[in-house]
Amino acid sequence: HDDVQIVAALARARPRLLLWLGRSSRFRRMSPSLHRAVPQLSVIASDGFGAAGLGDDPDHAFDGVRYVQLVDFTHPTPGLAELQSRFAARGWHDLDDQAVLSYDAVLLLAAAIEQGGAKREAIRDWLAEVGRARPPFAGASGPISFDENGDREPSYHLVEVGASAPGDPASRRPAAPAGG
């Protein structure tokens, strides 16, 4: 019911651009009626949009949607290429940025324990030095470093879901430089 109301409101407003701050699964449900109601609509989505399954889009619900991705799959690091290869060897599909970031988090924590010690304070101190007093950590997602507030230095990539064959890696293509 909410989806119908949202589409009706958008049809009345006739926007040219929609900033989608939701999940791709909800957009998939709304896409056919949204495209009929507002055919000229361009969509830019947040990083929460990216998920496994975007490449499997037989109805082309996601064609033309641009969304923020936290890993650059178009220029994979050696670690990412190796992870993608292992992922594909198991018959899994659509390695997404959230899975890569989770993988990196586990490797980073393991390195902190091995090199800094298993106590909470030692782990915290070791992580605080990554990219500052010690070199950035070589993650599959790229170099990992933290700023003075303890936040990871971000890397954003704007990608566009295309109209190529489902599952085709070319179905996601860089849209425009979005920072790094």
Side-chain angles (χ1 to χ4, degrees), residues 49-170:
F49 191 86
L54 284 182
D56 182 24
D57 185 24
D59 300 327
H60 302 284
F62 303 126
D63 284 358
V65 173
R66 293 178 175 193
Y67 69 99
V68 175
Q69 196 170 60
L70 302 174
V71 174
D72 186 359
F73 288 98
T74 61
H75 300 95
T77 65
L80 179 56
E82 192 268 332
L83 180 60
Q84 287 175 308
S85 176
R86 288 193 345 231
F87 201 79
R90 287 193 160 86
W92 298 335
H93 304 287
D94 286 339
L95 179 64
D96 65 17
D97 55 350
Q98 299 304 309
V100 175
L101 295 173
S102 297
Y103 176 83
D104 279 353
V106 170
L107 291 181
L108 186 60
L109 180 58
I113 293 168
E114 287 175 2
Q115 297 174 25
K119 298 215 182 279
R120 179 183 303 205
E121 296 78 22
I123 294 168
R124 188 177 326 129
D125 292 344
W126 189 92
L127 290 171
E129 295 177 350
V130 173
R132 302 179 82 209
R134 68 179 66 250
F137 182 80
S141 61
I144 298 171
S145 59
F146 299 101
D147 66 17
E148 62 276 353
N149 297 320
D151 295 321
R152 181 173 179 185
E153 301 288 342
S155 176
Y156 302 109
H157 308 277
L158 188 62
V159 295
E160 181 176 336
V161 181
S164 57
D168 182 347

Side-chain angles (χ1 to χ4, degrees), residues 18-37:
L18 173 66
L19 180 59
W20 185 264
L21 300 177
R23 301 284 181 194
S24 57
S25 56
R26 186 161 188 197
F27 184 85
R28 182 188 293 273
R29 288 193 315 264
M30 294 173 60
S31 180
S33 56
L34 189 58
H35 286 305
R36 281 191 303 276

